Amino acid sequence: MARLFRHLGSLLLLAKHRISCIRTAIKRNMEVQNYAYSKQMLDLLFSKAPPGKRVELRSLIDLCDQRGLSNKSMDPVEDPSQFCAATLSRLSTIGYDVSDLCGSKFAALSSPGCIICGMGSIKRSDSLAGPVPSPFG
């Protein structure tokens, strides 16, 4: 759940939905002792929060500071942009499917449209870059 919400919070969603995902990501990641990630997201919310919410956020930031700014159950090189939006598995380094509208990436998608935004068409990543020049001249 912690990883799922980390990835959901990184998607290009409407602000109210993204904030909701980030808040859940903070809660789930604090449960599994990912305090560095949680503090990073709390700092983001704090910078945009109305004055009435800042007291709650500040107490959570202080809690992360007290417990140590490390991530106990997170891959240190985890990059949400390199995970499949449908399965959260790692993307192939050779090629993957990508939505031409929202940019969501997929390991393999059988539908012609994007299952994340519902409006984008799915293209192969290696076909978006154009032809690759031959190394043989």
Side-chain angles (χ1 to χ4, degrees), residues 38-57:
S38 297
K39 183 179 186 297
Q40 180 183 5
M41 292 298 105
L42 284 162
D43 287 339
L44 173 70
L45 291 183
F46 187 84
S47 70
K48 300 177 183 313
K53 293 281 186 182
R54 288 185 174 196
V55 172
E56 173 194 357
L57 295 174

PDB file of all heavy atoms in Angstrom, residues 38-57:
ATOM      1  N   SER A  38       8.091  10.446   3.774  1.00  0.00           N
ATOM      2  CA  SER A  38       6.929  11.090   4.399  1.00  0.00           C
ATOM      3  C   SER A  38       7.204  12.564   4.669  1.00  0.00           C
ATOM      4  O   SER A  38       6.357  13.418   4.412  1.00  0.00           O
ATOM      5  CB  SER A  38       6.553  10.372   5.694  1.00  0.00           C
ATOM      6  OG  SER A  38       6.164   9.049   5.418  1.00  0.00           O
ATOM      7  N   LYS A  39       8.399  12.869   5.172  1.00  0.00           N
ATOM      8  CA  LYS A  39       8.732  14.271   5.444  1.00  0.00           C
ATOM      9  C   LYS A  39       8.785  15.081   4.155  1.00  0.00           C
ATOM     10  O   LYS A  39       8.316  16.219   4.113  1.00  0.00           O
ATOM     11  CB  LYS A  39      10.063  14.399   6.173  1.00  0.00           C
ATOM     12  CG  LYS A  39      10.374  15.855   6.532  1.00  0.00           C
ATOM     13  CD  LYS A  39      11.672  15.988   7.281  1.00  0.00           C
ATOM     14  CE  LYS A  39      11.913  17.396   7.769  1.00  0.00           C
ATOM     15  NZ  LYS A  39      12.050  18.399   6.744  1.00  0.00           N
ATOM     16  N   GLN A  40       9.311  14.495   3.096  1.00  0.00           N
ATOM     17  CA  GLN A  40       9.371  15.196   1.811  1.00  0.00           C
ATOM     18  C   GLN A  40       7.958  15.557   1.340  1.00  0.00           C
ATOM     19  O   GLN A  40       7.713  16.681   0.893  1.00  0.00           O
ATOM     20  CB  GLN A  40      10.062  14.298   0.786  1.00  0.00           C
ATOM     21  CG  GLN A  40      10.189  14.905  -0.577  1.00  0.00           C
ATOM     22  CD  GLN A  40      10.813  13.923  -1.581  1.00  0.00           C
ATOM     23  OE1 GLN A  40      11.070  12.765  -1.279  1.00  0.00           O
ATOM     24  NE2 GLN A  40      11.049  14.401  -2.778  1.00  0.00           N
ATOM     25  N   MET A  41       7.027  14.625   1.460  1.00  0.00           N
ATOM     26  CA  MET A  41       5.647  14.891   1.035  1.00  0.00           C
ATOM     27  C   MET A  41       4.942  15.852   2.003  1.00  0.00           C
ATOM     28  O   MET A  41       4.144  16.701   1.579  1.00  0.00           O
ATOM     29  CB  MET A  41       4.854  13.584   0.931  1.00  0.00           C
ATOM     30  CG  MET A  41       5.314  12.672  -0.189  1.00  0.00           C
ATOM     31  SD  MET A  41       5.136  13.418  -1.826  1.00  0.00           S
ATOM     32  CE  MET A  41       6.830  13.830  -2.214  1.00  0.00           C
ATOM     33  N   LEU A  42       5.238  15.747   3.293  1.00  0.00           N
ATOM     34  CA  LEU A  42       4.665  16.676   4.266  1.00  0.00           C
ATOM     35  C   LEU A  42       5.144  18.098   3.996  1.00  0.00           C
ATOM     36  O   LEU A  42       4.355  19.053   4.090  1.00  0.00           O
ATOM     37  CB  LEU A  42       5.035  16.245   5.685  1.00  0.00           C
ATOM     38  CG  LEU A  42       4.252  15.053   6.221  1.00  0.00           C
ATOM     39  CD1 LEU A  42       4.965  14.442   7.421  1.00  0.00           C
ATOM     40  CD2 LEU A  42       2.823  15.445   6.570  1.00  0.00           C
ATOM     41  N   ASP A  43       6.417  18.250   3.654  1.00  0.00           N
ATOM     42  CA  ASP A  43       6.944  19.569   3.312  1.00  0.00           C
ATOM     43  C   ASP A  43       6.224  20.145   2.095  1.00  0.00           C
ATOM     44  O   ASP A  43       5.915  21.344   2.055  1.00  0.00           O
ATOM     45  CB  ASP A  43       8.447  19.509   3.045  1.00  0.00           C
ATOM     46  CG  ASP A  43       9.274  19.314   4.306  1.00  0.00           C
ATOM     47  OD1 ASP A  43       8.767  19.607   5.411  1.00  0.00           O
ATOM     48  OD2 ASP A  43      10.434  18.850   4.185  1.00  0.00           O
ATOM     49  N   LEU A  44       5.951  19.293   1.114  1.00  0.00           N
ATOM     50  CA  LEU A  44       5.217  19.734  -0.072  1.00  0.00           C
ATOM     51  C   LEU A  44       3.821  20.221   0.311  1.00  0.00           C
ATOM     52  O   LEU A  44       3.398  21.310  -0.101  1.00  0.00           O
ATOM     53  CB  LEU A  44       5.121  18.589  -1.093  1.00  0.00           C
ATOM     54  CG  LEU A  44       4.253  18.852  -2.312  1.00  0.00           C
ATOM     55  CD1 LEU A  44       4.907  19.875  -3.226  1.00  0.00           C
ATOM     56  CD2 LEU A  44       3.992  17.559  -3.063  1.00  0.00           C
ATOM     57  N   LEU A  45       3.099  19.427   1.097  1.00  0.00           N
ATOM     58  CA  LEU A  45       1.749  19.824   1.518  1.00  0.00           C
ATOM     59  C   LEU A  45       1.795  21.071   2.394  1.00  0.00           C
ATOM     60  O   LEU A  45       0.945  21.959   2.256  1.00  0.00           O
ATOM     61  CB  LEU A  45       1.060  18.684   2.270  1.00  0.00           C
ATOM     62  CG  LEU A  45       0.679  17.451   1.458  1.00  0.00           C
ATOM     63  CD1 LEU A  45      -0.064  16.458   2.349  1.00  0.00           C
ATOM     64  CD2 LEU A  45      -0.167  17.804   0.243  1.00  0.00           C
ATOM     65  N   PHE A  46       2.775  21.149   3.281  1.00  0.00           N
ATOM     66  CA  PHE A  46       2.895  22.295   4.185  1.00  0.00           C
ATOM     67  C   PHE A  46       3.050  23.596   3.405  1.00  0.00           C
ATOM     68  O   PHE A  46       2.462  24.614   3.752  1.00  0.00           O
ATOM     69  CB  PHE A  46       4.082  22.089   5.134  1.00  0.00           C
ATOM     70  CG  PHE A  46       4.183  23.133   6.206  1.00  0.00           C
ATOM     71  CD1 PHE A  46       3.448  23.005   7.369  1.00  0.00           C
ATOM     72  CD2 PHE A  46       5.018  24.230   6.056  1.00  0.00           C
ATOM     73  CE1 PHE A  46       3.537  23.970   8.371  1.00  0.00           C
ATOM     74  CE2 PHE A  46       5.110  25.192   7.049  1.00  0.00           C
ATOM     75  CZ  PHE A  46       4.372  25.069   8.207  1.00  0.00           C
ATOM     76  N   SER A  47       3.832  23.550   2.331  1.00  0.00           N
ATOM     77  CA  SER A  47       4.089  24.764   1.547  1.00  0.00           C
ATOM     78  C   SER A  47       2.838  25.287   0.852  1.00  0.00           C
ATOM     79  O   SER A  47       2.762  26.465   0.519  1.00  0.00           O
ATOM     80  CB  SER A  47       5.185  24.501   0.509  1.00  0.00           C
ATOM     81  OG  SER A  47       4.719  23.631  -0.507  1.00  0.00           O
ATOM     82  N   LYS A  48       1.854  24.424   0.663  1.00  0.00           N
ATOM     83  CA  LYS A  48       0.636  24.826  -0.041  1.00  0.00           C
ATOM     84  C   LYS A  48      -0.599  24.831   0.860  1.00  0.00           C
ATOM     85  O   LYS A  48      -1.688  25.140   0.416  1.00  0.00           O
ATOM     86  CB  LYS A  48       0.400  23.883  -1.215  1.00  0.00           C
ATOM     87  CG  LYS A  48       1.559  23.905  -2.217  1.00  0.00           C
ATOM     88  CD  LYS A  48       1.352  22.931  -3.340  1.00  0.00           C
ATOM     89  CE  LYS A  48       2.499  22.870  -4.287  1.00  0.00           C
ATOM     90  NZ  LYS A  48       3.056  24.100  -4.764  1.00  0.00           N
ATOM     91  N   ALA A  49      -0.424  24.478   2.136  1.00  0.00           N
ATOM     92  CA  ALA A  49      -1.554  24.309   3.049  1.00  0.00           C
ATOM     93  C   ALA A  49      -2.072  25.648   3.568  1.00  0.00           C
ATOM     94  O   ALA A  49      -1.298  26.581   3.795  1.00  0.00           O
ATOM     95  CB  ALA A  49      -1.140  23.435   4.225  1.00  0.00           C
ATOM     96  N   PRO A  50      -3.390  25.711   3.798  1.00  0.00           N
ATOM     97  CA  PRO A  50      -3.935  26.897   4.460  1.00  0.00           C
ATOM     98  C   PRO A  50      -3.482  26.911   5.924  1.00  0.00           C
ATOM     99  O   PRO A  50      -3.124  25.860   6.476  1.00  0.00           O
ATOM    100  CB  PRO A  50      -5.454  26.698   4.346  1.00  0.00           C
ATOM    101  CG  PRO A  50      -5.652  25.243   4.126  1.00  0.00           C
ATOM    102  CD  PRO A  50      -4.413  24.742   3.436  1.00  0.00           C
ATOM    103  N   PRO A  51      -3.484  28.074   6.560  1.00  0.00           N
ATOM    104  CA  PRO A  51      -2.990  28.185   7.941  1.00  0.00           C
ATOM    105  C   PRO A  51      -3.631  27.189   8.918  1.00  0.00           C
ATOM    106  O   PRO A  51      -2.946  26.683   9.811  1.00  0.00           O
ATOM    107  CB  PRO A  51      -3.325  29.627   8.327  1.00  0.00           C
ATOM    108  CG  PRO A  51      -3.379  30.352   7.027  1.00  0.00           C
ATOM    109  CD  PRO A  51      -3.879  29.364   6.017  1.00  0.00           C
ATOM    110  N   GLY A  52      -4.882  26.849   8.758  1.00  0.00           N
ATOM    111  CA  GLY A  52      -5.557  25.938   9.670  1.00  0.00           C
ATOM    112  C   GLY A  52      -5.024  24.513   9.633  1.00  0.00           C
ATOM    113  O   GLY A  52      -5.134  23.776  10.614  1.00  0.00           O
ATOM    114  N   LYS A  53      -4.429  24.094   8.529  1.00  0.00           N
ATOM    115  CA  LYS A  53      -3.892  22.735   8.382  1.00  0.00           C
ATOM    116  C   LYS A  53      -2.418  22.636   8.754  1.00  0.00           C
ATOM    117  O   LYS A  53      -1.890  21.552   8.937  1.00  0.00           O
ATOM    118  CB  LYS A  53      -4.061  22.250   6.936  1.00  0.00           C
ATOM    119  CG  LYS A  53      -5.485  22.028   6.507  1.00  0.00           C
ATOM    120  CD  LYS A  53      -5.964  20.724   7.046  1.00  0.00           C
ATOM    121  CE  LYS A  53      -7.345  20.401   6.502  1.00  0.00           C
ATOM    122  NZ  LYS A  53      -7.853  19.173   7.040  1.00  0.00           N
ATOM    123  N   ARG A  54      -1.756  23.756   8.866  1.00  0.00           N
ATOM    124  CA  ARG A  54      -0.300  23.748   9.082  1.00  0.00           C
ATOM    125  C   ARG A  54       0.112  23.184  10.435  1.00  0.00           C
ATOM    126  O   ARG A  54       1.163  22.576  10.541  1.00  0.00           O
ATOM    127  CB  ARG A  54       0.270  25.144   8.881  1.00  0.00           C
ATOM    128  CG  ARG A  54       0.261  25.536   7.424  1.00  0.00           C
ATOM    129  CD  ARG A  54       0.913  26.840   7.181  1.00  0.00           C
ATOM    130  NE  ARG A  54       0.972  27.065   5.749  1.00  0.00           N
ATOM    131  CZ  ARG A  54       1.737  27.943   5.185  1.00  0.00           C
ATOM    132  NH1 ARG A  54       2.521  28.710   5.916  1.00  0.00           N
ATOM    133  NH2 ARG A  54       1.729  28.089   3.881  1.00  0.00           N
ATOM    134  N   VAL A  55      -0.724  23.349  11.460  1.00  0.00           N
ATOM    135  CA  VAL A  55      -0.381  22.833  12.786  1.00  0.00           C
ATOM    136  C   VAL A  55      -0.300  21.311  12.749  1.00  0.00           C
ATOM    137  O   VAL A  55       0.657  20.708  13.246  1.00  0.00           O
ATOM    138  CB  VAL A  55      -1.413  23.303  13.843  1.00  0.00           C
ATOM    139  CG1 VAL A  55      -1.179  22.621  15.176  1.00  0.00           C
ATOM    140  CG2 VAL A  55      -1.362  24.813  13.987  1.00  0.00           C
ATOM    141  N   GLU A  56      -1.290  20.676  12.126  1.00  0.00           N
ATOM    142  CA  GLU A  56      -1.299  19.214  12.000  1.00  0.00           C
ATOM    143  C   GLU A  56      -0.093  18.737  11.200  1.00  0.00           C
ATOM    144  O   GLU A  56       0.596  17.787  11.592  1.00  0.00           O
ATOM    145  CB  GLU A  56      -2.592  18.755  11.320  1.00  0.00           C
ATOM    146  CG  GLU A  56      -2.627  17.285  10.993  1.00  0.00           C
ATOM    147  CD  GLU A  56      -3.740  16.897  10.021  1.00  0.00           C
ATOM    148  OE1 GLU A  56      -4.543  17.762   9.616  1.00  0.00           O
ATOM    149  OE2 GLU A  56      -3.783  15.706   9.657  1.00  0.00           O
ATOM    150  N   LEU A  57       0.173  19.394  10.079  1.00  0.00           N
ATOM    151  CA  LEU A  57       1.298  18.996   9.233  1.00  0.00           C
ATOM    152  C   LEU A  57       2.624  19.201   9.945  1.00  0.00           C
ATOM    153  O   LEU A  57       3.526  18.365   9.847  1.00  0.00           O
ATOM    154  CB  LEU A  57       1.262  19.765   7.907  1.00  0.00           C
ATOM    155  CG  LEU A  57       0.062  19.465   7.000  1.00  0.00           C
ATOM    156  CD1 LEU A  57       0.064  20.404   5.795  1.00  0.00           C
ATOM    157  CD2 LEU A  57       0.054  18.025   6.553  1.00  0.00           C
TER     158      LEU A  57
END
